[in-house]
Amino acid sequence: MRLVGPSGEQVGIVPLAKALELAQEYDLDLVEVAANARPPVCKLMDYGKFKYESAMKAREARKNQAHTVIKEMKLRPKIDPHDYDTKKGHVVRFLKQGDKVKITIMFRGREQSRPELGFRLLQRLASDVEDLGFIESNPKQDGRNMIMVLGPHKKKTEAMAEAREAQAARKADAPGTTTRRDRATDEEPTAEESAAEESAQESAEA
C-alpha cells in the first residue's frame, strides 16, 4: 500500500505489517482513503478526531447555506398611499434580506378592464426599490392578477453575513453591568457621612 503520514507527508509504498507498526508507534489509526487506487492509499490519522472535524465542517456548511426564498406581496390597483408605503416597506425588508419578492396585483370587477393601472403600480414599486432590487420577471397578466418578480441585488449569503455582523456589533455596543463599586461611587453620601465630613473639615481648620 501507499502510506501517507499524519501530516500529509508521503511515507512511500510499505507492506501492511509495516503500516500497522507505524500506526501503533504514533498511536494513530490506519485509514484507507483511496481503496480503488493501485496500490491502495492509506493514511495515519486520529480517526475519531477526523470524524468530529468533518461533522463540524458539514454543520457549519449547512448553517451558512443560502436558501433562496420567494416572498409574496399582494396589492390592489387603487391602493391608498398609506397601505402602499406599508407594503413597500415589507418589500424593502425582503430585498435587504436577500430574498426574491413576487408582487401580485389583484383586479376585481371593472378593474379587470384597466390592466394599465396594475402595470403602472408595478413599475412605480420597482422604481422605488431599484437601489435594493431589480425586475427579474416583467409584469404579466395571469387571469385576474398581474404578477412581477423582483430579485435582490445582494446575494443571500451576503445578507446573512451582514446580519450576523450587525448583531455582533449590537452586542459589543451594549452597556456593561454596573459593578457594586460603581454604584457606591455614584450614590449620594448619607446624612451621617456628610456630618462626619464637615466635622473633620472644622477640626482641620481649627
Side-chain angles (χ1 to χ4, degrees):
M1 70 176 66
R2 186 179 301 278
L3 185 64
V4 180
S7 299
E9 71 278 11
Q10 294 291 332
V11 178
I13 298 176
V14 300
L16 176 59
K18 178 63 175 178
L20 291 172
E21 181 182 336
L22 289 173
Q24 187 173 7
E25 179 181 337
Y26 285 107
D27 193 23
L28 294 172
D29 302 302
L30 181 63
V31 181
E32 189 175 51
V33 294
N36 295 329
R38 292 291 178 268
V41 180
C42 294
K43 184 177 181 180
L44 297 173
M45 67 171 72
D46 184 336
Y47 188 61
K49 180 180 178 182
F50 170 76
K51 286 184 65 177
Y52 173 77
E53 291 177 347
S54 298
M56 292 301 294
K57 288 179 181 178
R59 180 181 177 184
E60 190 66 22
R62 288 194 300 271
K63 180 180 177 181
N64 295 328
Q65 187 175 4
H67 298 282
T68 302
V69 178
I70 299 181
K71 305 288 188 177
E72 185 173 11
M73 189 58 56
K74 297 181 178 180
L75 296 82
R76 294 293 307 281
K78 297 180 180 180
I79 187 171
D80 66 70
H82 175 73
D83 286 344
Y84 174 80
D85 289 338
T86 300
K87 300 279 188 178
K88 184 181 71 173
H90 291 313
V91 174
V92 167
R93 177 164 54 86
F94 295 149
L95 292 173
K96 283 183 177 181
Q97 292 172 352
D99 295 323
K100 297 181 181 182
V101 188
K102 176 183 175 183
I103 312 297
T104 301
I105 304 295
M106 301 179 297
F107 296 93
R108 293 179 182 174
R110 296 180 180 180
E111 293 175 347
Q112 297 180 58
S113 63
R114 301 288 305 279
E116 69 276 7
L117 294 178
F119 183 80
R120 285 201 295 265
L121 181 58
L122 291 175
Q123 291 293 323
R124 174 189 172 189
L125 180 59
S127 176
D128 287 346
V129 299
E130 62 182 355
D131 291 341
L132 299 171
F134 61 95
I135 298 177
E136 184 173 286
S137 178
N138 288 314
K140 62 180 180 181
Q141 196 77 28
D142 182 18
R144 294 185 177 183
N145 300 328
M146 183 175 288
I147 297 172
M148 177 182 72
V149 177
L150 296 175
H153 291 311
K154 189 181 301 180
K155 293 182 179 180
K156 184 72 173 179
T157 50
E158 295 174 356
M160 291 171 63
E162 289 183 4
R164 286 195 294 268
E165 290 176 1
Q167 184 178 10
R170 286 195 298 270
K171 288 182 178 180
D173 293 339
T177 304
T178 305
T179 63
R180 181 178 297 178
R181 178 177 297 177
D182 295 332
R183 289 196 298 269
T185 303
D186 295 337
E187 288 175 355
E188 294 293 334
T190 62
E192 292 79 0
E193 291 172 339
S194 299
E197 185 177 349
E198 292 176 1
S199 176
Q201 289 177 352
E202 290 174 358
S203 299
E205 292 174 356

